[in-house]
PDB file of all heavy atoms in Angstrom:
ATOM      1  N   GLY A 145      77.185-174.277  22.370  1.00  0.00           N
ATOM      2  CA  GLY A 145      77.218-174.244  23.830  1.00  0.00           C
ATOM      3  C   GLY A 145      76.745-172.915  24.380  1.00  0.00           C
ATOM      4  O   GLY A 145      76.552-171.940  23.649  1.00  0.00           O
ATOM      5  N   ASN A 146      76.570-172.890  25.687  1.00  0.00           N
ATOM      6  CA  ASN A 146      76.216-171.651  26.369  1.00  0.00           C
ATOM      7  C   ASN A 146      77.470-170.796  26.527  1.00  0.00           C
ATOM      8  O   ASN A 146      78.590-171.305  26.518  1.00  0.00           O
ATOM      9  CB  ASN A 146      75.602-171.943  27.735  1.00  0.00           C
ATOM     10  CG  ASN A 146      74.252-172.616  27.615  1.00  0.00           C
ATOM     11  OD1 ASN A 146      73.557-172.482  26.608  1.00  0.00           O
ATOM     12  ND2 ASN A 146      73.872-173.341  28.647  1.00  0.00           N
ATOM     13  N   THR A 147      77.268-169.513  26.697  1.00  0.00           N
ATOM     14  CA  THR A 147      78.396-168.608  26.911  1.00  0.00           C
ATOM     15  C   THR A 147      79.017-168.891  28.271  1.00  0.00           C
ATOM     16  O   THR A 147      78.393-169.508  29.135  1.00  0.00           O
ATOM     17  CB  THR A 147      77.950-167.134  26.856  1.00  0.00           C
ATOM     18  OG1 THR A 147      77.014-166.909  27.909  1.00  0.00           O
ATOM     19  CG2 THR A 147      77.350-166.784  25.516  1.00  0.00           C
ATOM     20  N   GLN A 148      80.237-168.425  28.458  1.00  0.00           N
ATOM     21  CA  GLN A 148      80.931-168.658  29.717  1.00  0.00           C
ATOM     22  C   GLN A 148      80.179-168.013  30.881  1.00  0.00           C
ATOM     23  O   GLN A 148      80.140-168.558  31.979  1.00  0.00           O
ATOM     24  CB  GLN A 148      82.354-168.119  29.631  1.00  0.00           C
ATOM     25  CG  GLN A 148      83.215-168.527  30.786  1.00  0.00           C
ATOM     26  CD  GLN A 148      84.669-168.180  30.552  1.00  0.00           C
ATOM     27  OE1 GLN A 148      85.003-167.444  29.645  1.00  0.00           O
ATOM     28  NE2 GLN A 148      85.535-168.703  31.391  1.00  0.00           N
ATOM     29  N   SER A 149      79.558-166.879  30.628  1.00  0.00           N
ATOM     30  CA  SER A 149      78.812-166.200  31.694  1.00  0.00           C
ATOM     31  C   SER A 149      77.373-166.702  31.807  1.00  0.00           C
ATOM     32  O   SER A 149      76.608-166.180  32.618  1.00  0.00           O
ATOM     33  CB  SER A 149      78.816-164.690  31.458  1.00  0.00           C
ATOM     34  OG  SER A 149      78.226-164.401  30.198  1.00  0.00           O
ATOM     35  N   GLU A 150      77.010-167.717  30.990  1.00  0.00           N
ATOM     36  CA  GLU A 150      75.673-168.329  31.018  1.00  0.00           C
ATOM     37  C   GLU A 150      74.558-167.316  30.753  1.00  0.00           C
ATOM     38  O   GLU A 150      73.454-167.456  31.267  1.00  0.00           O
ATOM     39  CB  GLU A 150      75.419-169.040  32.354  1.00  0.00           C
ATOM     40  CG  GLU A 150      76.292-170.248  32.587  1.00  0.00           C
ATOM     41  CD  GLU A 150      75.957-171.445  31.699  1.00  0.00           C
ATOM     42  OE1 GLU A 150      74.801-171.580  31.292  1.00  0.00           O
ATOM     43  OE2 GLU A 150      76.878-172.233  31.424  1.00  0.00           O
ATOM     44  N   ASP A 151      74.852-166.296  29.938  1.00  0.00           N
ATOM     45  CA  ASP A 151      73.817-165.310  29.630  1.00  0.00           C
ATOM     46  C   ASP A 151      73.165-165.559  28.276  1.00  0.00           C
ATOM     47  O   ASP A 151      72.325-164.778  27.837  1.00  0.00           O
ATOM     48  CB  ASP A 151      74.390-163.890  29.685  1.00  0.00           C
ATOM     49  CG  ASP A 151      75.487-163.647  28.660  1.00  0.00           C
ATOM     50  OD1 ASP A 151      75.958-164.618  28.040  1.00  0.00           O
ATOM     51  OD2 ASP A 151      75.879-162.478  28.483  1.00  0.00           O
ATOM     52  N   GLY A 152      73.517-166.635  27.613  1.00  0.00           N
ATOM     53  CA  GLY A 152      72.935-166.964  26.320  1.00  0.00           C
ATOM     54  C   GLY A 152      73.600-168.191  25.729  1.00  0.00           C
ATOM     55  O   GLY A 152      74.441-168.827  26.363  1.00  0.00           O
ATOM     56  N   THR A 153      73.191-168.511  24.497  1.00  0.00           N
ATOM     57  CA  THR A 153      73.682-169.696  23.802  1.00  0.00           C
ATOM     58  C   THR A 153      74.140-169.289  22.416  1.00  0.00           C
ATOM     59  O   THR A 153      73.467-168.503  21.738  1.00  0.00           O
ATOM     60  CB  THR A 153      72.557-170.752  23.703  1.00  0.00           C
ATOM     61  OG1 THR A 153      72.113-171.053  25.025  1.00  0.00           O
ATOM     62  CG2 THR A 153      73.036-172.015  23.035  1.00  0.00           C
ATOM     63  N   PHE A 154      75.274-169.841  21.967  1.00  0.00           N
ATOM     64  CA  PHE A 154      75.782-169.557  20.638  1.00  0.00           C
ATOM     65  C   PHE A 154      74.912-170.276  19.602  1.00  0.00           C
ATOM     66  O   PHE A 154      74.651-171.472  19.727  1.00  0.00           O
ATOM     67  CB  PHE A 154      77.237-170.014  20.493  1.00  0.00           C
ATOM     68  CG  PHE A 154      78.181-169.293  21.404  1.00  0.00           C
ATOM     69  CD1 PHE A 154      78.788-169.960  22.456  1.00  0.00           C
ATOM     70  CD2 PHE A 154      78.458-167.952  21.214  1.00  0.00           C
ATOM     71  CE1 PHE A 154      79.661-169.297  23.307  1.00  0.00           C
ATOM     72  CE2 PHE A 154      79.334-167.274  22.060  1.00  0.00           C
ATOM     73  CZ  PHE A 154      79.927-167.953  23.102  1.00  0.00           C
ATOM     74  N   CYS A 155      74.475-169.541  18.589  1.00  0.00           N
ATOM     75  CA  CYS A 155      73.663-170.111  17.504  1.00  0.00           C
ATOM     76  C   CYS A 155      74.111-169.499  16.190  1.00  0.00           C
ATOM     77  O   CYS A 155      74.597-168.367  16.149  1.00  0.00           O
ATOM     78  CB  CYS A 155      72.184-169.793  17.703  1.00  0.00           C
ATOM     79  SG  CYS A 155      71.428-170.521  19.153  1.00  0.00           S
ATOM     80  N   LYS A 156      73.936-170.267  15.116  1.00  0.00           N
ATOM     81  CA  LYS A 156      74.137-169.710  13.779  1.00  0.00           C
ATOM     82  C   LYS A 156      73.194-170.423  12.828  1.00  0.00           C
ATOM     83  O   LYS A 156      72.883-171.600  12.998  1.00  0.00           O
ATOM     84  CB  LYS A 156      75.586-169.808  13.309  1.00  0.00           C
ATOM     85  CG  LYS A 156      76.051-171.190  12.934  1.00  0.00           C
ATOM     86  CD  LYS A 156      77.458-171.148  12.365  1.00  0.00           C
ATOM     87  CE  LYS A 156      77.936-172.552  12.050  1.00  0.00           C
ATOM     88  NZ  LYS A 156      79.249-172.560  11.437  1.00  0.00           N
ATOM     89  N   ARG A 157      72.727-169.681  11.853  1.00  0.00           N
ATOM     90  CA  ARG A 157      71.834-170.240  10.852  1.00  0.00           C
ATOM     91  C   ARG A 157      72.621-171.172   9.945  1.00  0.00           C
ATOM     92  O   ARG A 157      73.778-170.916   9.622  1.00  0.00           O
ATOM     93  CB  ARG A 157      71.221-169.124   9.982  1.00  0.00           C
ATOM     94  CG  ARG A 157      70.240-168.201  10.672  1.00  0.00           C
ATOM     95  CD  ARG A 157      68.818-168.704  10.696  1.00  0.00           C
ATOM     96  NE  ARG A 157      68.329-169.246   9.460  1.00  0.00           N
ATOM     97  CZ  ARG A 157      67.758-168.543   8.487  1.00  0.00           C
ATOM     98  NH1 ARG A 157      67.604-167.253   8.607  1.00  0.00           N
ATOM     99  NH2 ARG A 157      67.332-169.141   7.388  1.00  0.00           N
ATOM    100  N   VAL A 158      72.003-172.274   9.528  1.00  0.00           N
ATOM    101  CA  VAL A 158      72.633-173.207   8.598  1.00  0.00           C
ATOM    102  C   VAL A 158      72.827-172.478   7.274  1.00  0.00           C
ATOM    103  O   VAL A 158      71.922-171.816   6.776  1.00  0.00           O
ATOM    104  CB  VAL A 158      71.770-174.476   8.426  1.00  0.00           C
ATOM    105  CG1 VAL A 158      72.294-175.340   7.298  1.00  0.00           C
ATOM    106  CG2 VAL A 158      71.730-175.263   9.724  1.00  0.00           C
ATOM    107  N   GLY A 159      74.030-172.575   6.717  1.00  0.00           N
ATOM    108  CA  GLY A 159      74.354-171.897   5.468  1.00  0.00           C
ATOM    109  C   GLY A 159      74.998-170.538   5.655  1.00  0.00           C
ATOM    110  O   GLY A 159      75.390-169.892   4.692  1.00  0.00           O
ATOM    111  N   TYR A 160      75.125-170.090   6.885  1.00  0.00           N
ATOM    112  CA  TYR A 160      75.747-168.809   7.193  1.00  0.00           C
ATOM    113  C   TYR A 160      76.894-169.036   8.176  1.00  0.00           C
ATOM    114  O   TYR A 160      76.967-170.081   8.814  1.00  0.00           O
ATOM    115  CB  TYR A 160      74.728-167.827   7.790  1.00  0.00           C
ATOM    116  CG  TYR A 160      73.610-167.486   6.836  1.00  0.00           C
ATOM    117  CD1 TYR A 160      72.421-168.204   6.846  1.00  0.00           C
ATOM    118  CD2 TYR A 160      73.751-166.462   5.913  1.00  0.00           C
ATOM    119  CE1 TYR A 160      71.397-167.904   5.966  1.00  0.00           C
ATOM    120  CE2 TYR A 160      72.731-166.156   5.025  1.00  0.00           C
ATOM    121  CZ  TYR A 160      71.559-166.875   5.054  1.00  0.00           C
ATOM    122  OH  TYR A 160      70.549-166.576   4.183  1.00  0.00           O
ATOM    123  N   THR A 161      77.771-168.044   8.305  1.00  0.00           N
ATOM    124  CA  THR A 161      78.947-168.214   9.159  1.00  0.00           C
ATOM    125  C   THR A 161      78.903-167.383  10.428  1.00  0.00           C
ATOM    126  O   THR A 161      79.633-167.671  11.365  1.00  0.00           O
ATOM    127  CB  THR A 161      80.231-167.842   8.387  1.00  0.00           C
ATOM    128  OG1 THR A 161      80.119-166.488   7.925  1.00  0.00           O
ATOM    129  CG2 THR A 161      80.442-168.780   7.213  1.00  0.00           C
ATOM    130  N   GLN A 162      78.061-166.362  10.479  1.00  0.00           N
ATOM    131  CA  GLN A 162      78.037-165.442  11.616  1.00  0.00           C
ATOM    132  C   GLN A 162      77.367-166.073  12.839  1.00  0.00           C
ATOM    133  O   GLN A 162      76.187-166.390  12.796  1.00  0.00           O
ATOM    134  CB  GLN A 162      77.297-164.158  11.238  1.00  0.00           C
ATOM    135  CG  GLN A 162      77.156-163.163  12.380  1.00  0.00           C
ATOM    136  CD  GLN A 162      78.476-162.608  12.830  1.00  0.00           C
ATOM    137  OE1 GLN A 162      79.240-162.064  12.054  1.00  0.00           O
ATOM    138  NE2 GLN A 162      78.770-162.754  14.116  1.00  0.00           N
TER     139      GLN A 162
END
Side-chain angles (χ1 to χ4, degrees):
N146 292 335
T147 62
Q148 190 170 13
S149 59
E150 293 289 332
D151 62 349
T153 303
F154 297 111
C155 295
K156 73 175 177 177
R157 291 274 315 273
V158 171
Y160 297 93
T161 58
Q162 177 66 55

